[in-house]
Amino acid sequence: MGGEGTRQRRALPAKPRDRKELPLARADYGNLIAGDWHTEGEAVANVNPSDLDDTIATYAFASAEDTHAAVDAAKRAFPQWAGLTPEQRQAPLEFIGDELIRRKDEIGRLLSREEGKPLAEGVGEVARAGQFFKFYGGEALRLHGDFTQSVRPGVEVEVRREPLGVVGLITPWNFPAAIPAWKIAPALAYGNAVVFKPAELVPGTAWALAEIISRSGLPEGLFNLVMGRGKDVGEAILSARDVAAVSFTGSAATGGHIARRCAETMKKVQLEMGGKNPLVVLDDADLETAAAAALNGYSGTGQKCTASSRLVVQEGIHDRFVDALSDKLAGYTVGHALDPETKCGPVVDETQLQQDLDYIALGQQEGAELVTGGQLLNRATRGHYLAPALFTGTRNDMRINREEIFGPVCAVIRVKDYAEALAVANDTEYGLTSAICTDSLKRASHFKANSRSGIVTVNLPTGGMDYHVPFGGMKASSYGPREQGQYARDFYTTTKTAYTKP
Ligand code: ADP
């Protein structure tokens, strides 16, 4: 997710988040610090973006002091956890994974209610979060080192993998279950202690996840939930000397700040940030496959770092493709996240909605043609409903094609041949995902080899990834070792080289 460096998402006028703050009330749900739940402090209301009159509950926002207490607790619990056998570390992860999968309907409903993605996607995401825990439960048992001969006679060399200590995990609002899961699960599996800071807009799912984790049999204080603001909780994590590493997913502007702050205290850092992902459609593509792949760019209301936002289309198929995608968008029902008819939920909040509207206006000022969508919609409940927008006649140097909008807005760029398509696809600061739709094996192979992105797909959307293989991008999209699959161990462990003369 996120914007392009410091000059993008922040460049547009920001409005305050539309969550009501009730400083005097006691929160319904609290933070988990050193094994205890804390409801004292500031209580913040969690409001449903599909229905602004629906307040889900109030959640305690932690202070910097609370966060330091969480770090201290994690530090104290770490040696015990790191000293357990792999099977003992596997058991709680299996417990958490099983319960998430068993309760996916209930927690998925909460997720959709607070984030706004359609119910089926919310339920699917919670099940996916469960799969992460189960996968990394197994990985706890597969953390192998190396043993090799020394260059010196009679000496043995071992390369051991060891945990880092306390890790700080800072997550965004767009995948309230999956992103925390793909950070917490490997962090624990590989023997670390955790201080978890979810995004301000989605405390409900984070709390539900933390509540399950609190009953999974981990040592007290090993896992801590600190809900709250970036400037309080986030900054406290970044300043804590006892935090060995920070894994972050969010905007490029915040990511850059976090990298600089982590350097001050020599923390290991992993950043997952924005995308401006191209979907290339060649003349020989199957039209239905291409249109379906492009429609996927609007899923989650386009609020996905992997979403395709630049549709790079060859001239021979251009008009048919635009018609086919427009037809699909006409049936892409925008509505309340919990309505079974809904394909596209509301925009997450007022700030993001304003950003989307500003970019839609900007695209028109830049000379792009708005083929469909872009207007606000009225529904039975008060929510941030926006008709998915499609631009044609755009150039890759327009701001709508350079900057991450993070909304249901896509732009078609017409190209004459594959060579131009590849050049346009790669001409971006970002490099998270890319896709090509073609029947040509030769072009698909060339694209896979030459696309400058961390993930590339053929005849598939740019979004929707597996959990057992690496996830991450090139250029401004990512920084540090990859997430997910077995590759996650490169971030969550360090190596120690041991020499022995028996
Ligand atoms: P968005 O603009 O979409 O909210 P952000 O990158 O600002 O995206 O937020 C992603 C996560 O980073 C959230 O959990 C947020 O609270 C956190 N965050 C924001 N600012 C900071 C900061 N200065 N230090 C640490 N974390 C931060």
Side-chain angles (χ1 to χ4, degrees):
M1 59 173 293
E4 180 184 327
T6 47
R7 66 180 171 75
Q8 194 185 315
R9 297 188 61 193
R10 309 291 169 212
L12 292 161
K15 287 207 175 146
R17 297 279 186 199
D18 52 1
R19 304 286 146 130
K20 294 176 216 113
E21 293 179 13
L22 309 167
L24 298 176
R26 199 174 180 87
D28 300 320
Y29 296 93
N31 288 298
L32 178 63
I33 298 170
D36 292 321
W37 292 100
H38 293 265
T39 49
E40 69 276 8
E42 190 185 351
V44 176
N46 186 4
V47 177
N48 178 351
S50 300
D51 179 358
L52 301 179
D53 299 313
D54 174 28
T55 295
I56 296 161
T58 59
Y59 291 82
F61 269 19
S63 63
E65 294 72 47
D66 297 332
T67 310
H68 286 295
V71 173
D72 289 346
K75 185 185 176 192
R76 284 195 301 276
F78 167 68
Q80 187 193 344
W81 179 243
L84 294 181
T85 67
E87 214 173 42
Q88 289 170 319
R89 286 206 301 273
Q90 179 192 26
L93 295 170
E94 285 283 339
F95 173 93
I96 300 161
D98 284 340
E99 184 159 335
L100 283 168
I101 292 168
R102 187 161 42 78
R103 292 175 54 200
K104 65 181 191 305
D105 292 330
E106 168 210 341
I107 301 173
R109 192 178 169 83
L110 171 64
L111 189 163
S112 289
R113 194 170 156 212
E114 72 174 350
E115 198 273 348
K117 67 181 66 177
L119 185 57
E121 290 177 31
V123 171
E125 187 185 328
V126 174
R128 172 56 62 98
Q131 301 288 11
F132 275 109
F133 279 95
K134 293 180 74 69
F135 175 81
Y136 283 106
E139 283 304 286
L141 286 158
R142 284 186 286 267
L143 185 60
H144 302 159
D146 291 320
F147 180 82
T148 189
Q149 242 189 327
S150 168
V151 294
R152 288 171 281 168
V155 173
E156 295 169 352
V157 186
E158 291 162 64
V159 182
R160 306 155 64 109
R161 289 232 175 224
E162 299 194 351
L164 303 172
V166 180
V167 299
L169 307 178
I170 301 176
T171 57
W173 47 261
N174 62 336
F175 285 92
I179 296 179
W182 82 51
K183 294 184 194 293
I184 296 167
L188 294 176
Y190 299 133
N192 300 286
V194 169
V195 175
F196 165 45
K197 186 213 131 14
E200 293 88 320
L201 294 179
V202 289
T205 308
W207 190 91
L209 175 59
E211 196 277 329
I212 296 172
I213 296 173
S214 75
R215 289 185 281 102
S216 67
L218 298 177
E220 201 171 272
L222 186 83
F223 169 86
N224 300 268
L225 169 72
V226 274
M227 301 176 283
R229 296 195 179 76
K231 70 177 175 53
D232 306 324
V233 174
E235 290 293 337
I237 291 173
L238 302 179
S239 68
R241 297 230 159 237
D242 287 325
V243 172
V246 171
S247 179
F248 163 85
T249 301
S251 65
T254 304
H257 169 76
I258 288 178
R260 287 185 291 277
R261 295 280 277 115
C262 285
E264 287 167 14
T265 45
M266 300 293 173
K267 293 185 195 347
K268 197 171 177 182
V269 63
Q270 176 182 60
L271 308 174
E272 212 55 67
M273 299 166 288
K276 196 69 197 172
N277 309 303
L279 169 72
V280 171
V281 180
L282 298 185
D283 283 351
D284 64 3
D286 177 72
L287 188 61
E288 173 56 29
T289 300
L295 187 69
N296 185 275
Y298 294 92
S299 69
T301 321
Q303 300 169 149
K304 300 199 304 197
C305 53
T306 56
S308 52
S309 51
R310 293 184 299 138
L311 308 174
V312 185
V313 184
Q314 200 174 353
E315 55 195 10
I317 197 171
H318 177 278
D319 293 356
R320 283 180 293 133
F321 171 80
V322 171
D323 287 347
L325 180 55
S326 303
D327 282 352
K328 284 193 183 296
L329 285 172
Y332 203 58
T333 316
V334 177
H336 194 296
L338 303 183
D339 181 341
E341 298 296 310
T342 294
K343 301 273 193 319
C344 183
V347 174
V348 74
D349 76 353
E350 177 68 32
T351 307
Q352 184 62 52
L353 179 68
Q354 193 54 52
Q355 174 164 310
D356 297 350
L357 291 171
D358 288 346
Y359 274 112
I360 290 164
L362 178 68
Q364 290 169 298
Q365 284 160 27
E366 287 183 305
E369 186 193 342
L370 186 59
V371 184
T372 177
Q375 75 279 18
L376 292 174
L377 300 171
N378 284 322
R379 292 293 178 261
T381 50
R382 255 181 356 108
H384 305 299
Y385 297 108
L386 177 63
L390 178 64
F391 282 112
T392 55
T394 76
R395 294 185 322 272
N396 199 41
D397 62 1
M398 291 177 172
R399 277 184 64 196
I400 54 164
N401 283 325
R402 309 305 302 176
E403 302 174 9
E404 188 179 52
I405 300 171
F406 219 63
V409 185
C410 294
V412 177
I413 305 166
R414 186 196 287 256
V415 292
K416 64 177 184 315
D417 56 18
Y418 169 69
E420 187 184 355
L422 178 64
V424 166
N426 282 339
D427 179 12
T428 168
E429 278 189 40
Y430 292 112
L432 185 55
T433 63
S434 64
I436 189 166
C437 292
T438 178
D439 270 357
S440 161
L441 181 59
K442 194 171 156 196
R443 297 233 168 85
S445 296
H446 190 273
F447 189 77
K448 282 190 278 184
N450 292 282
S451 174
R452 295 279 299 147
S453 61
I455 298 165
V456 54
T457 70
V458 177
N459 294 328
L460 287 167
T462 55
M465 304 312 168
D466 290 359
Y467 57 87
H468 62 307
V469 284
F471 176 90
M474 296 180 180
K475 301 194 274 183
S477 288
S478 302
Y479 186 76
R482 287 277 184 266
E483 301 202 85
Q484 303 190 21
Q486 206 165 52
Y487 288 70
R489 70 184 189 173
D490 293 337
F491 179 70
Y492 291 104
T493 65
T494 187
T495 59
K496 179 185 282 172
T497 311
Y499 297 90
T500 308
K501 186 148 194 220

